[in-house]
Amino acid sequence: MVQHPSDDPWVPEVSYVTTPRVACDGASDYSPALGHPRVYLQIDEKGYTECGYCDKRFILKGGPADQGVSET
């Protein structure tokens, strides 16, 4: 059985995005002062990518990893 990328219990945060190129600096609504150096990530054919620092997952809306359950 293949697990959906947004259902992975080891991913601390998931963000649905509209562009295949994203930036991550580790800041969040919960801890905006904490973070890491800003990195730029490219979503590939899987439809998602993960930050190597904080493990935040970015899922492309309408992509292969998006099953219609997205943030508004």
Side-chain angles (χ1 to χ4, degrees):
M1 183 170 109
V2 177
Q3 187 173 14
H4 185 264
S6 66
D7 294 335
D8 189 343
W10 300 107
V11 175
E13 188 175 358
V14 175
S15 180
Y16 290 86
V17 296
T18 57
T19 61
R21 185 93 170 143
V22 295
C24 183
D25 60 8
S28 68
D29 294 336
Y30 304 112
S31 58
L34 301 177
H36 57 68
R38 179 172 289 164
V39 292
Y40 294 90
L41 307 164
Q42 183 72 33
I43 295 175
D44 61 12
E45 69 278 349
K46 296 180 295 192
Y48 70 94
T49 190
E50 294 177 348
C51 176
Y53 284 98
C54 65
D55 294 330
K56 181 175 182 177
R57 184 169 288 177
F58 296 89
I59 298 177
L60 184 63
K61 287 183 181 179
D66 183 14
Q67 292 185 337
V69 180
S70 61
E71 299 170 350
T72 56

